[in-house]
Amino acid sequence: MAVTRTSTNGKDLLKQFLMERNEHPERKDEIDSRLKETFEQEVAIMVLDMCGFSRTVMKYGIIHFLAMIVQMDALATPAIQDNGGKVIKQEADNMFAIFPTVEQAVSAALDIF
């Protein structure tokens, strides 16, 4: 199966590459090289994690902590975006973002702080 770049999105293209790799293990090195050329990039990663979940919930209740998560999102997301970053995942009180450079990630962190 030949992999083309006409796929609807990156996930589909990645899946195509990996299926091809599974079907043709003898071409693993060539397919891995194409995978790296297509997807590999160097980025800076920022992970935000609110501290004191258990203590805060015990003291003020879960609704209070959920409101704090919404407030973190409202403050952090614009700072991340304004510094060239992109939020790639949010899970509970954690936020994961990527940036083209370390400097941009640090600037976003300072803005959030």
Side-chain angles (χ1 to χ4, degrees):
M1 168 173 74
V3 176
T4 63
R5 293 180 190 234
T6 59
S7 177
T8 57
N9 65 45
K11 287 182 181 180
D12 290 342
L13 184 57
L14 176 61
K15 185 176 179 179
Q16 288 175 9
F17 273 124
L18 295 173
M19 287 174 60
E20 182 179 3
R21 189 181 194 274
N22 290 337
E23 292 171 9
H24 302 283
E26 73 282 0
R27 294 182 31 231
K28 170 181 82 71
D29 292 339
E30 176 255 326
I31 296 167
D32 288 357
S33 178
R34 289 173 33 217
L35 268 164
K36 289 178 182 180
E37 180 183 314
T38 302
F39 291 104
E40 193 172 77
Q41 60 180 315
E42 201 167 293
V43 297
I45 299 172
M46 171 192 285
V47 179
L48 300 175
D49 180 17
M50 296 174 63
C51 64
F53 172 78
S54 297
R55 185 176 57 250
T56 303
V57 170
M58 286 175 50
K59 186 171 183 178
Y60 300 106
I62 189 66
I63 295 171
H64 177 80
F65 198 81
L66 292 172
M68 289 175 58
I69 292 172
V70 170
Q71 184 177 28
M72 177 196 66
D73 179 55
L75 295 171
T77 298
I80 289 166
Q81 293 171 343
D82 290 348
N83 285 284
K86 179 180 177 183
V87 176
I88 58 169
K89 182 177 180 180
Q90 284 183 267
E91 187 173 283
D93 65 334
N94 299 304
M95 180 179 282
F96 301 81
I98 59 171
F99 295 84
T101 67
V102 171
E103 292 79 13
Q104 288 169 297
V106 170
S107 290
L110 291 172
D111 288 351
I112 293 166
F113 183 70

